[in-house]
Amino acid sequence: MAEAPQQEQQEQQEQLLVQIEQEQQQEHQPELVQEQQQEEQQEEQQEQRQEEQEEHQLDQQNKEEEEQVEQEEEEEQPSSSEASEPDEEPEEPKESAQMPRSRPLLSTRSMSSGGGGGGGDPADDSPNMIVYKKIEDIITRIQDETDGIPIRTVKSFMTKIPSVVTGADIVTWLMRNLSIDDAAEAMHLGSQIAAQGYIFPISDHTLTLKDDGTFYRFQAPYFWPSHCWEPENTDYAIYLCKRTMQNKTRLELADYEAENLARLQRAFARKWEFIYMQAEAQVKIDRKKEKTERKILDSQERAFWDVYRPVPGSVNTTEMDIRKCRRIKNPHRVKKSVYGVTEEGTQSQSPIHTPSHHCRKGTKEDVEKEILFLNTQLDRHCMKMSKVAESLMSYTEQYLEYDPFVTPLEPSNPWTSDDPSFWDLETSKETSQQRVKKWGFSLEEALKDPLGRDLFLKFLESEFSSENLRFWLAVQHLKRMPQQEVAQRAQDIWAEFLAEGAPSSINLDSHSYERTSQNLKDPGRYSYEDAQAHIYKLMKSDSYARFLRSNVYQDLLMARKKPETEQGRRTSLEKFTRSVGKSLTGKRLTGLMQSS
Amino acid sequence: QKVLVELKITFSQCSKNERNYKTTSRKYMRSPLSPEMATQEVQLNETLAHLKTESENLKSKLEEERAKLHDVELHQVAEKVEGLGQFIMKTRRTLKGHGNKVLCMDWCKDKRRIVSSSQDGKVIVWDAFTTNKEHAVTMPCTWVMACAYAPSGCAVACGGLDNKCSVYPLSLDKNENLAAKKKSVAMHTNYLSACSFTNSDMQILTSSGDGTCALWDVESGQLLQSFHGHAADVLCLDLAPSETGNTFVSGGCDKKANVWDMRSGQCIQSFETHESDINSVRYYPSGDAFASGSDDATCRLYDLRADREVAIYSKESIIFGVSSVDFSLSGRLLFGGYNDYTINVWDVLKGTRVSILFGHENRVSTLRVSPDGTAFCTGSWDHTLRIWA
């Protein structure tokens, strides 16, 4: 599997390049877009302002709350938090006395206008959104004050790690609250939730869940995938750029990020100044935030980019099934910038957002058809559940011994033993008891197996009544022919089986006979459906029943072979010893064989 | 004045529609703009509302009638059935060679060969037993979402974003260019989501994003029958296993599973209990029931004789959609491939989950049990296929 990660990496880089190239092309968009742009710009700016305000308000609220609860903690180590970050900007107001927020930004920060409304939005039930909702429900429960995991600030070395839980905590919670018996399964589910972008390890770009003391944080609702983010490379460039402006080890770029940045610098050479400015502006905004809050937000922002620009070699969970693309949210909106950046000529309609003509509206004719259909259904004679259940159970019971997943195969399952002799047995004329027994389950089963069909035919020939089966087979064949040959073949069948003085005349009731001769006026592949069904019923109730009682069938079933009896016995004994041998030692007990 | 206002609206409607309206009580004839037409149009809208009410009433009545027969649950009756033992199912083969997401696969009747198709346009025929690639074709489009093996083993069909289904005869000569012998059979107006040969190499059944299914004559490319009734993309289909039957089931983005009569093109039964797209449908081996897998993270069993859903296979911890389902030979086990990269194995009768299998590194997009039930194959977005037994 070593090739795959490299390939993935290459592909992702290529994708990035393609995106960059597309951006460059779009730079030269006509003015049509500009007016729209301006409107959107204003909207965006307003939203951005709104959100900053909300953020600020929330900060205040939380700070006040925390102050009361955790004052003792802070008093214990007043200097440590300051000392740990010597390169903190001097212009920062004295916020060290403020409490670290113990709860991440939760429901109040949901994206306002942008993501489209809440209830009533038809795209809300698109496949992706269904999963997001379920995950968000889990995430909300897991952070609940009473029933969730306590989110703590952990002290380590000279710093505090705010707002974390351990992987083991999450695994335990999932097992307890979602009825999961196996820790591996809980870990897998947790990894899926991480991969989608709802939780993340604070010191790793790879989004998986480990069942140990590794620290995880919850993603801010602003960054939730349910908002249908499709961040542009300009945003990514701004992000990487601002990272380099902040001299903190925790913000250092990984190798692949540095490479991406270099590539973006080349691609956006002409507007790099703009990007640099935006990055500076973002740094300024960030600086105004309180230290602990910054730690949290920085990590959340990084986790966001880990989803939308994943580490090479990891799964890109934002990839979509193209069949479902038409129905995602935001069909008409321009792609939203993470940092509220708007720029003339660079914004575009998302290429996969096409207006959805999704469900055809019900016309009057549709409703009339539906009424007809419903009336037919009402007239249908249905079976009781208890009878249905018995039927399903008895069918399964009957075939259980033939099911390789349930009953071990003789001699072995080729896939597990690498020995294809089981298949050779099937294709040979070998008539094992098991195989012959199956022919007795139903006429259908007997006809399905070429050997069974041949034997049944032979039996009928011995009774001089083979024309029924031959007719049935001929009609089966007719239905499988190319359209062009159907008419002729239908005529041939008539001549052979139904015409006056036909060589293999079959016995049809007058009603079916009339219907069939009518059908033959315009011969098609279904001309003989009625006749075939009639003959099948006849065979089932009459000849088939006698076939099962016949010597030729019973002999095979009881493995009563005549002249070759000696050989027959030895063969079955060989088989027996072989299987015994395998189960005991895996080797053949040759001693036993020789003694026979 | 009210009438005048309505006149304006209804006239514009009239000009758009060109149909002969038949109301339940009178024949409606097209005539040049007139007040009569206006009132009739108003009546038409009222009639539509009436019809809808009638339809809703019938639906409730049907629910009631069906509920009368619902005297017991399947899993309750199945309590007396012996439980299945522990299963040891592992990956026995891994097929590597696709350059992008594997989207579909099908088994050959010889029980060891398979055909698979991928997002990168490649269709590969493998001997899964030896893991050797035997044929490869590059389609002119990406996202080849459907592929099928011909019953004779001598051809494969495939299609996807090209809106077509094409048949490629498989040549014994490995050097021969398969693409040259390609035959275009089906033409839809949107992507091809699934295809299947009927009992012969001569007919193909297709389903499409255009909301229809269709039956085609391979030799001539002629459309033999089309099936209309889904209100959105049709994503999957499966032919009834009966030798004598002429029916198939389809599932779509309208959350419906429909059973069709191939002769008449009529929908003979319809089931709508899923909460999201139905990605996969598969008949129970006896042909009396079928299972479905959906984006709502559940698999369900529908019985045709009871005309209703008879079981749901779900768990609180399973939240990702099901992409594909198939039964083991006896119908006792239901295998489901999921978008969370796992395979869940269900006890069909008891309704419990028997096993969960890990291994794939991305979504499982396709899953089929081999013709003799000795193994099942999965295809995934991680570019590989795996054989499990």
Side-chain angles (χ1 to χ4, degrees), chain B residues 301-315:
Chain B
L301 186 69
Y302 298 92
D303 189 281
L304 300 177
R305 300 160 297 185
D307 192 35
R308 61 181 299 139
E309 173 193 293
V310 300
I312 306 184
Y313 307 100
S314 68
K315 260 178 158 279

Side-chain angles (χ1 to χ4, degrees), chain A residues 185 188 324 326-327 364 377 380 383 386 390-391 396 403 405 413 423 444 476 483 525 529, chain B residues 22 66 71 80 203 217 233 243 246 268 277 279 284 295 305 328 330 340 353 372 374:
Chain A
E185 197 184 333
H188 183 86
K324 324 266 173 163
R326 288 189 280 172
R327 285 170 295 149
K364 186 165 157 291
Q377 296 308 307
R380 173 189 295 275
M383 221 190 259
S386 44
E390 289 296 333
S391 164
T396 302
D403 189 339
F405 279 104
N413 186 326
W423 287 329
E444 167 124 12
Q476 287 294 89
Q483 187 65 5
R525 66 183 69 242
E529 282 308 278
Chain B
K22 277 191 194 159
R66 295 289 181 261
D71 53 348
K80 61 187 179 194
Q203 286 111 45
D217 180 63
D233 305 19
E243 297 281 302
N246 296 309
I268 51 185
D277 302 2
N279 296 313
Y284 182 79
D295 278 330
R305 300 160 297 185
S328 71
S330 64
D340 64 0
R353 202 251 319 258
D372 61 356
T374 49

